[in-house]
Amino acid sequence: MKQINVLRLTLVVALGGLLFGYDTAVISGATQALQVYFSLSPAQLGFAAASALIGCVVGAAVAGFLSSRYGRRGALIIAAVLFLISAIGSAIAGSEVVFIIYRIIGGVGVGIASMVSPMYIAEISPAEKRGGLVACNQFAIIFGMLVVYFVNYGIALMGPESWLNQIGWRYMFGSETIPAVLFLILLFSVPETPRWLAMQGRDDQARQLLKGLNPTLSIEPLWDDIKASLHHKSVSIKEQGLTGLLVIGILLSVFQQVTGINVFLYYAPTILKGFSNSSIDIALLQTVLVGVVNLSFTVLAILTVDKFGRRPLMMIGAAIMSVSIIVIGTAAYLHAIGGYLLIFVLAYIAAFALSLGPVTWVLLSEIFPNNVRSKALSIAVLAQWVANFLVSQTFPMMNAKSSWIYQQFNGGFPFWLYGILGFVTVYFVYRFVPETKGRSLEQLEALWQRKEKKTTPGTSEQHHPVAH
């Protein structure tokens, strides 16, 4: 079989990540218009904006089944169709209820893509390049957010505010049809993953695909490892003694969220405006700077994750995040707010983009065994979306000036909380997460099987699970 360009496949599948970012961020430019057009109360607007998260939870819950039953590519095709339906439906919605229904449909697509895109990339990637290639999906998510910010800005310039409130917002949601159609068309040019084909007993196709993906290597050792990994007849995570591994995956997902990243991504203009007496326009400009730093350091993560490994990036990044956000909280508590805090915001964002952002997805896509990967990854990503929702909902409550917590701590408490959880993340990675750099997915599976009776969260033995 002729050589297959792994980078091309990665870029096509990473369009799912781009749509993930695009779909979740597109509403940011339309909230005021939606409130005016549908005459929404603040509570109704909040639900309309957050409704996509409901779909994300549903999508993550069903992604495991879809990717096992219809294949990784098949699940991504379903996600692409949902993105397209959501884009068209949201753009033509005539009522608040209809709009919310289509946003939920788009959220289901996001939930599916958020799990399946990194899993597909991990299953086709050579071990020595897997970290960087999977991290490309995180780059695509952030890039999708930046693209839609500029798209929304361009649409807003097309007419006066009255036009935006009546018609312009529909163009914002409708613009998603372009990347959705492109994603759907290009998916028909990519193959299934060799590991899914092997799970279906389609050995000849799987072997040919492996050879195309690894043209300079003998595939026999890798093929033997894949077949050996599929000998388990049961797909029960508990029966295979992998409950602890699932807990590690869930906690990796949760720690990525509870360290506060979406507080800055969702509420950056509000937070940044509070750091100085600048106008909201300046705060929005600073928000773009946050996005640029996020994107730039994600590129650095892509270039370094396979060189330095997962554990060092995770621990160093989480530590820098914690220090930065605790400084921000302390400045708030001491009434020492000022423009200088932008430095710590950017340091926090840079550290996340270098560590918990892309590397968490790398780890989640590679730590689970072949025959339970879809199910386990689906559960871990579901936990991530639930944690995302909880953080996004509780921050405004803790940061409301009328709240007891705000009055006691001058707005510093939530930042301290996220900082403490960041240090907990450092310890968690040091104590429980092994280095996975340079190992095939099957070698990692064997590693976990050897350690399943040793230390994992919820067990009692005191052994360090770091792989050397």
Side-chain angles (χ1 to χ4, degrees):
M1 185 176 185
K2 67 178 181 179
Q3 181 176 355
I4 298 174
N5 189 324
V6 177
L7 180 59
R8 187 190 77 81
L9 299 185
T10 298
L11 293 176
V12 170
V13 173
L15 279 173
L18 185 144
L19 280 158
F20 172 167
Y22 201 106
D23 191 87
T24 53
V26 65
I27 199 167
S28 64
T31 51
Q32 179 179 328
L34 290 171
Q35 187 168 24
V36 171
Y37 187 86
F38 292 121
S39 301
L40 302 179
S41 68
Q44 290 173 319
L45 177 63
F47 184 73
S51 58
L53 286 176
I54 299 172
C56 292
V57 172
V58 174
V62 302
F65 166 77
L66 294 176
S67 60
S68 293
R69 178 68 178 84
Y70 301 108
R72 290 30 169 163
R73 187 185 72 161
L76 288 173
I77 289 173
I78 293 172
V81 171
L82 293 174
F83 283 129
L84 184 58
I85 292 172
S86 175
I88 297 172
S90 300
I92 65 174
S95 69
E96 172 200 355
V97 172
V98 173
F99 175 81
I100 288 173
I101 289 173
Y102 281 110
R103 287 295 292 159
I104 292 174
I105 290 173
V108 175
V110 170
I112 295 171
S114 68
M115 189 209 94
V116 182
S117 288
M119 180 170 65
Y120 180 102
I121 296 170
E123 291 190 351
I124 65 166
S125 301
E128 68 276 8
K129 297 180 180 179
R130 187 176 59 241
L133 291 172
V134 173
C136 286
N137 190 66
Q138 178 71 12
F139 174 89
I141 294 171
I142 299 163
F143 186 70
M145 291 181 175
L146 282 180
V147 167
V148 79
Y149 290 152
F150 285 108
V151 169
N152 283 350
Y153 181 68
I155 291 172
L157 294 178
M158 292 171 59
E161 185 174 324
S162 58
W163 173 84
L164 180 64
N165 291 341
Q166 294 300 315
I167 301 294
W169 66 268
R170 297 185 184 275
Y171 286 83
M172 293 179 178
F173 292 100
S175 67
E176 190 179 345
T177 59
I178 297 173
V181 168
L182 182 63
F183 184 41
L184 181 59
I185 292 172
L186 290 177
L187 279 174
F188 288 97
S189 69
V190 304
E192 262 301 345
T193 72
R195 288 169 174 87
W196 184 81
L197 291 171
M199 290 172 65
Q200 305 305 307
R202 295 157 63 176
D203 290 2
D204 289 342
Q205 290 176 268
R207 286 172 60 88
Q208 289 182 16
L209 187 54
L210 271 180
K211 186 60 179 175
L213 294 168
N214 302 274
T216 62
L217 301 176
S218 170
I219 66 166
E220 295 309 319
L222 179 57
W223 177 248
D224 291 342
D225 287 344
I226 291 174
K227 292 301 291 182
S229 74
L230 298 176
H231 281 167
H232 299 289
K233 298 300 182 183
S234 171
V235 295
S236 168
I237 295 171
K238 183 176 181 179
E239 288 177 13
Q240 292 189 47
L242 297 174
T243 303
L245 176 56
L246 178 61
V247 172
I248 287 176
I250 290 172
L251 289 177
L252 280 171
S253 283
V254 170
F255 282 133
Q256 187 197 54
Q257 298 298 315
V258 298
T259 44
I261 183 59
N262 280 319
V263 166
F264 286 98
L265 295 183
Y266 294 166
Y267 302 105
T270 302
I271 293 171
L272 293 169
K273 188 174 186 298
F275 289 166
S276 66
N277 294 321
S278 61
S279 67
I280 190 65
D281 291 339
I282 299 299
L284 287 171
L285 182 61
Q286 292 172 335
T287 302
V288 173
L289 181 59
V290 166
V292 171
V293 169
N294 199 352
L295 197 69
S296 300
F297 278 83
T298 300
V299 173
L300 185 59
I302 292 171
L303 298 175
T304 58
V305 67
D306 286 313
K307 180 179 181 180
F308 298 121
R310 286 57 158 154
R311 279 166 48 83
L313 291 183
M314 288 285 280
M315 290 189 290
I316 293 171
I320 294 173
M321 289 170 63
S322 295
V323 171
S324 300
I325 204 166
I326 286 174
V327 168
I328 293 170
T330 303
Y333 179 72
L334 297 175
H335 295 289
I337 293 296
Y340 73 95
L341 288 178
L342 180 62
I343 296 172
F344 292 97
V345 172
L346 296 180
Y348 173 91
I349 295 295
F352 175 84
L354 190 61
S355 59
L356 269 66
V359 183
T360 296
W361 287 110
V362 172
L363 286 166
L364 289 176
S365 68
E366 63 189 8
I367 64 173
F368 297 117
N370 283 328
N371 64 329
V372 298
R373 183 172 297 120
S374 294
K375 182 182 296 185
L377 189 53
S378 180
I379 294 171
V381 173
L382 174 63
Q384 187 173 123
W385 283 111
V386 172
N388 181 337
F389 179 81
L390 291 176
V391 171
S392 302
Q393 290 297 304
T394 56
F395 174 75
M397 298 164 60
M398 292 188 289
N399 202 48
K401 293 185 177 181
S402 59
S403 71
W404 179 86
I405 290 178
Y406 186 93
Q407 293 173 0
Q408 293 297 313
F409 300 100
N410 300 323
F413 179 81
F415 299 104
W416 288 343
L417 177 61
Y418 304 142
I420 291 170
L421 290 171
F423 283 121
V424 173
T425 303
V426 175
Y427 174 77
F428 171 75
V429 173
Y430 171 77
R431 182 68 179 80
F432 296 113
V433 180
E435 182 54 71
T436 58
K437 179 185 71 171
R439 296 173 180 264
S440 72
L441 297 178
E442 289 67 37
Q443 288 171 335
L444 291 173
E445 180 175 340
L447 167 69
W448 285 111
Q449 289 173 345
R450 289 196 301 271
K451 295 179 179 296
E452 65 185 34
K453 294 182 180 180
K454 295 186 180 181
T455 301
T456 49
T459 62
S460 59
E461 294 189 41
Q462 302 299 313
H463 298 282
H464 199 295
V466 179
H468 297 286

